[in-house]
Amino acid sequence: MRVSGPGRRAVLLGAAAAALGGSLAGCDRGGIRGLPELVVATGPPGAVYRQIGGKIAEILDERFPDTDVRAVETGASHANLALLASGEAHLGLAALDSILDSGTGGDGGGAPVAIGRLYDAFVHLVVLVGSPVWRASDLEGLRVSVGATDSGTEFTVAQIVAETGLDFEAVRLNQSESAAALADGEIDAMFSLTGLPTPAIADLAEERTLRLVDLADTAGTLADAHPDSYLPANIPATTYEGVPSTPTAAIPNLLLCREDLPRDAAYAVTETVFTSAARLAAGSPVAAQINVRTGISTGVVPLHPGAADWYREHKPT
């Protein structure tokens, strides 16, 4: 398994698109045969998507030695949805609000369906401890990172702006870039939609004293406007060094695939991911949320029939 950066994207994803046309008639629980390549769209540096997506690809690659499983670095949710729709990826992670907004269909079976719900992401609004920002409304006129272009963070912040009328100077940086810019004083705050803890923020908290901004009012506004996507939540005090429990909004994150992924392949992927939760959690604590009971809770996004087969056979008693 190799994690591919942007420099290899064109060659890698072109091959992935061709691979989608292959037959998986020989697929069984011991391996995926007949599919030369399986591309997993993940996220940017410093993000939980990159961490968990890369580990999922690694485990799939070990389980299915006849298939070259590749994790591809992306901008996150919206970029992953586009890659699925175009046939340039087989699997991808995305936040539920981005999925519901996207209307992604693609040609030839590209509409995204779910392998399962993995974990919930939380909206972070991060500032340095001396910041005058105590509520989202305090961002007026400030320079704020809204995440990378085509990321779930960028989309969710756009939803916040649409519902609250906030007006600030938006810059688009990925997780690692945002943390570095905040530490250097190049931005006043950073938004991040991510699992707990996110590596870029955790690393920054070890170097600088941070504060998470209370987003209780914002969470309520989002939940009222979009009840299928957002729910009020809290980032626990144990998440980041020196940072107390903070109210915010949470959003489910799903592992998606194309609807034309063969049924037996989707079954095998579902089985591998949901029987590897402990191993995934060893590298990213948020993956401890992965379980069969919540895996089927994908909201209005339908399960792939192959995933549904696996859940049906392994439903909790």
Side-chain angles (χ1 to χ4, degrees):
M1 190 276 296
R2 293 182 293 280
V3 176
S4 303
R8 299 186 57 216
R9 180 177 181 277
V11 173
L12 169 64
L13 297 181
L20 281 169
S23 170
L24 288 182
C27 179
D28 59 32
R29 298 184 196 184
I32 298 177
R33 299 189 303 275
L35 187 68
E37 187 170 59
L38 186 72
V39 175
V40 183
T42 64
V48 173
Y49 271 17
R50 172 78 175 274
Q51 196 175 51
I52 288 184
K55 195 65 176 178
I56 287 173
E58 177 184 318
I59 293 171
L60 289 170
D61 190 56
E62 292 173 3
R63 168 98 187 254
F64 307 124
D66 294 334
T67 299
D68 182 15
V69 183
R70 302 173 186 251
V72 179
E73 175 187 319
T74 72
S77 289
H78 271 68
N80 293 349
L81 290 164
L83 293 175
L84 287 167
S86 67
E88 296 174 291
H90 303 77
L91 303 172
L93 292 92
L96 183 57
D97 60 343
S98 293
I99 300 167
L100 297 181
D101 173 76
S102 68
T104 303
D107 296 324
V113 291
I115 293 293
R117 177 174 174 172
L118 298 185
Y119 64 92
D120 290 349
F122 293 75
V123 180
H124 296 58
L125 177 53
V126 186
V127 296
L128 299 181
V129 70
S131 171
V133 177
W134 293 94
R135 295 288 187 273
S137 57
D138 296 330
L139 294 175
E140 294 286 338
L142 299 184
R143 186 171 172 81
V144 182
S145 174
V146 298
T149 300
D150 291 332
S151 67
T153 300
E154 181 189 43
F155 175 75
T156 300
V157 175
Q159 296 283 81
I160 291 171
V161 169
E163 297 298 335
T164 64
L166 283 177
D167 185 17
F168 51 78
E169 181 183 352
V171 296
R172 286 164 175 79
L173 303 170
N174 67 32
Q175 305 271 11
S176 294
E177 294 167 342
S178 296
L182 183 61
D184 292 341
E186 296 173 1
I187 58 175
D188 299 294
M190 63 174 281
F191 277 104
S192 177
L193 175 66
T194 183
L196 303 178
T198 190
I201 298 172
D203 291 345
L204 182 59
E206 293 179 357
E207 301 174 4
R208 304 292 297 272
T209 304
L210 305 180
R211 183 160 47 77
L212 293 176
V213 176
D214 185 325
L215 294 176
D217 292 344
T218 303
T221 299
L222 287 174
D224 289 343
H226 306 281
D228 290 336
S229 300
Y230 305 105
L231 59 153
N234 283 277
I235 297 174
T238 55
T239 306
Y240 302 107
E241 183 176 345
V243 179
S245 176
T246 308
T248 189
I251 304 163
N253 276 297
L254 310 186
L255 178 61
L256 303 175
C257 66
R258 286 173 56 90
E259 64 181 354
D260 61 359
L261 188 70
R263 192 167 186 150
D264 46 7
Y267 182 106
V269 169
T270 308
E271 179 176 65
T272 302
V273 170
F274 281 86
T275 58
S276 302
R279 185 175 171 188
L280 291 167
S284 183
V286 70
Q289 295 182 37
I290 297 174
N291 65 83
V292 177
R293 290 183 184 276
T294 58
I296 61 174
S297 301
T298 56
V300 299
V301 181
L303 289 168
H304 188 289
D309 290 343
W310 188 84
Y311 290 120
R312 192 175 300 113
E313 293 177 16
H314 296 84
K315 60 185 178 182
T317 57

